[in-house]
């Protein structure tokens, strides 16, 4: 995808984390913290909860760098998957607690699952848009956020109308996968006991 680092960087980062390099965790945080936080906030709708998920995800990565398999995709995608899983897990916990509090007035399981699917789909759509190649993302933003038709999009981007249509079609095809994506089960526990700077392994 457009913002993925080169595979060599991914492998090197994993190796550095496995050696316990605190600087590596700092670099990873600087690169991906905003992604994790935005995905968590999209699912949970709460800034404080998103802060907590961000801490949990990077704590889990610090404790379990070998959980990442470069053969399965980019490090960015793996980090986003962790954020998504943990956020959905927290959302399920929050909905279950709210259902206990509301008793008979609580929504049924089907309604709760629908809300979780909607939040999960919205977060995945956000991730897809920010991850897709810049030309596709620019075309979608013009067409759907600024309400340009394909002719205006072509003029704004300085490309042919056929190219504008191609970019919009490809962008929409990528975006449509958000609706076909199953809600993932929770990730491994990502809440190690705080030590050092707040992560489980001593920095």
């Amino acid at each position: 995808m457009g913002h993925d680092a080169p595979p060599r960087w991914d492998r090197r980062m994993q190796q550095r984390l496995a050696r316990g390099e605190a600087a590596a965790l700092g670099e990873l945080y600087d690169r991906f913290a905003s992604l994790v936080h935005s995905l968590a906030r999209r699912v949970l709708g709460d800034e404080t909860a998103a802060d907590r998920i961000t801490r949990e995800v990077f704590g889990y990565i610090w404790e379990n760098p070998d959980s990442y398999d470069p053969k399965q995709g980019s490090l960015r995608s793996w980090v986003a998957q962790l954020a998504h899983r943990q956020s959905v897990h927290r959302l399920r916990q929050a909905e279950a607690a709210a259902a206990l509090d509301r008793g008979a007035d609580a929504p049924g399981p089907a309604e709760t699952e629908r809300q979780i699917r909607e939040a999960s789909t919205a977060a995945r759509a956000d991730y897809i848009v920010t991850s897709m190649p810049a030309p596709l993302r620019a075309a979608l933003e013009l067409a759907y956020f600024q309400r340009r038709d394909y002719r205006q999009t072509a003029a704004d981007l300085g490309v042919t109308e056929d190219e504008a249509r191609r970019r919009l079609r490809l962008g929409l095809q990528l975006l449509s996968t958000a609706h076909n994506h199953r809600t993932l089960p929770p990730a491994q526990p990502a809440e190690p006991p705080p030590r050092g700077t707040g992560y489980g392994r001593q920095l």
Side-chain angles (χ1 to χ4, degrees):
M1 291 294 184
H3 292 276
D4 284 346
R8 183 178 299 175
W9 186 91
D10 289 352
R11 290 193 296 270
R12 178 65 174 162
M13 175 57 69
Q14 182 188 39
Q15 292 166 358
R16 293 175 63 198
L17 289 169
R19 289 197 299 266
E21 291 187 25
L25 183 65
E27 289 178 30
L28 194 75
Y29 185 91
D30 289 343
R31 186 182 286 260
F32 296 134
S34 61
L35 168 68
V36 172
H37 192 273
S38 64
L39 286 172
R41 188 176 64 244
R42 186 67 153 146
V43 172
L44 297 166
D46 181 85
E47 195 78 18
T48 301
D51 290 341
R52 181 181 181 185
I53 292 295
T54 302
R55 291 193 300 271
E56 291 175 354
V57 166
F58 285 96
Y60 175 78
I61 293 170
W62 178 244
E63 291 286 343
N64 302 275
D66 291 334
S67 295
Y68 168 60
D69 182 359
K71 295 178 182 178
Q72 299 300 315
S74 71
L75 187 58
R76 182 179 195 270
S77 296
W78 180 67
V79 171
Q81 185 181 61
L82 289 176
H84 179 258
R85 287 179 173 179
Q86 194 70 3
S87 298
V88 169
H89 178 55
R90 291 297 178 194
L91 182 59
R92 289 186 189 281
Q93 289 182 325
E95 291 293 338
L100 288 175
D101 290 340
R102 284 178 283 184
D105 295 330
E111 175 62 18
T112 297
E113 285 301 311
R114 183 190 66 79
Q115 294 172 356
I116 291 171
R117 281 197 305 273
E118 287 181 355
S120 179
T121 296
R124 181 164 171 78
D126 284 352
Y127 173 72
I128 290 171
V129 170
T130 60
S131 300
M132 68 176 53
L136 304 187
R137 186 171 65 252
L140 283 179
E141 289 173 348
L142 285 169
Y144 293 97
F145 294 114
Q146 300 185 34
R147 305 296 185 183
R148 302 281 204 274
D149 61 28
Y150 75 89
R151 292 187 178 88
Q152 293 169 323
T153 297
D156 288 345
L157 295 177
V159 299
T160 66
E161 293 179 4
D162 284 345
E163 176 62 13
R165 281 196 292 265
R166 186 189 72 84
R167 293 182 186 183
L168 287 171
R169 183 172 63 253
L170 289 174
L172 288 173
Q173 286 173 349
L174 287 173
L175 197 55
S176 70
T177 64
H179 298 278
N180 300 324
H181 184 71
R182 294 175 57 197
T183 298
L184 296 168
Q188 294 297 317
E191 201 169 359
R195 292 192 304 171
T197 61
Y199 296 105
R201 196 162 17 141
Q202 186 69 42
L203 299 184

